[in-house]
Amino acid sequence: MNINKTLRNLLIVIFLVADVGCDQISKGIVRQRVDYHEQITVIDNFITLTRVDNTGAFLSLGNSLPRTLYKVLMIILPLIVLIFILRYLFKHTEFPLLSVFGISLIVGGGIGNIIDRVIFGSVTDFLYFDFALFHTGIVNWADISVTAGFFILVYEMIVNRKKNEEKVTK
């Protein structure tokens, strides 16, 4: 096996373990120390901790689904997609390291929320951000990981597109 591929795959595993670990530790702390709907100001007018359980997906979409359909759409299907993405990522080595990191964040965030759904029947959300012009819903580490991974991939695509356009014009 190629040492570069081995190192790259080890980095993927490290990214995933760190991401899922931070997600689960942060949620565990919130479950132990923050009451439901309690509001704790972390940074005045910017970050507030408040604990809610989200039985759905983004913005509670799907929270009223029948349990069997919920398990299929919120646990089994996402897990299959994440396994496919991971398998593809381990098999194909042409991705730049930044893209590997972005994809790992997306997969790690997905795994973190699936763990919650399997163990607790809902996802623990606890972070609320107020950016003055707009604010977020209540999110968690996994949600932030998925979002950050998405923006990293978009950035990487834009940079690669510009590089490819420069190569063509030379």
Side-chain angles (χ1 to χ4, degrees):
M1 181 180 254
N2 184 342
I3 191 69
N4 289 335
K5 185 174 182 180
T6 303
L7 180 59
R8 179 184 166 282
N9 289 345
L10 180 61
L11 280 173
I12 293 169
V13 171
I14 290 169
F15 291 157
L16 289 173
V17 169
D19 192 30
V20 173
C22 288
D23 175 64
Q24 291 301 301
I25 289 168
S26 64
K27 289 174 183 172
I29 291 169
V30 167
R31 283 187 207 104
Q32 290 175 355
R33 299 187 180 177
V34 179
D35 290 328
Y36 286 101
H37 304 288
E38 176 183 3
Q39 293 189 352
I40 302 168
T41 300
V42 178
I43 298 175
D44 285 338
N45 300 321
F46 182 61
I47 300 175
T48 303
L49 288 179
T50 186
R51 178 182 172 188
V52 296
D53 285 339
N54 183 353
T55 56
F58 176 72
L59 298 175
S60 297
L61 293 174
N63 64 346
S64 60
L65 290 171
R67 254 2 239 175
T68 303
L69 188 56
Y70 172 87
K71 287 179 182 177
V72 169
L73 293 178
M74 300 293 183
I75 297 170
I76 296 170
L77 189 59
L79 190 57
I80 290 169
V81 170
L82 293 175
I83 290 168
F84 175 78
I85 292 169
L86 262 181
R87 184 173 176 265
Y88 191 86
L89 189 60
F90 280 123
K91 192 173 183 178
H92 296 273
T93 59
E94 67 273 7
F95 296 110
L97 188 58
L98 189 58
S99 292
V100 169
F101 181 63
I103 294 168
S104 297
L105 285 174
I106 292 169
V107 171
I111 290 170
N113 281 341
I114 288 172
I115 289 170
D116 276 18
R117 289 186 183 111
V118 169
I119 294 173
F120 302 104
S122 63
V123 175
T124 300
D125 290 333
F126 56 91
L127 289 169
Y128 173 79
F129 296 93
D130 187 344
F131 294 105
L133 296 175
F134 70 95
H135 59 87
T136 66
I138 301 170
V139 298
N140 60 44
W141 180 283
D143 300 333
I144 294 168
S145 291
V146 170
T147 303
F150 170 77
F151 282 114
I152 288 170
L153 291 179
V154 168
Y155 169 80
E156 187 69 27
M157 283 189 262
I158 291 168
V159 167
N160 283 337
R161 183 175 177 208
K162 286 182 181 179
K163 285 180 184 176
N164 289 337
E165 286 174 357
E166 289 173 5
K167 286 180 185 177
V168 169
T169 57
K170 288 185 180 183

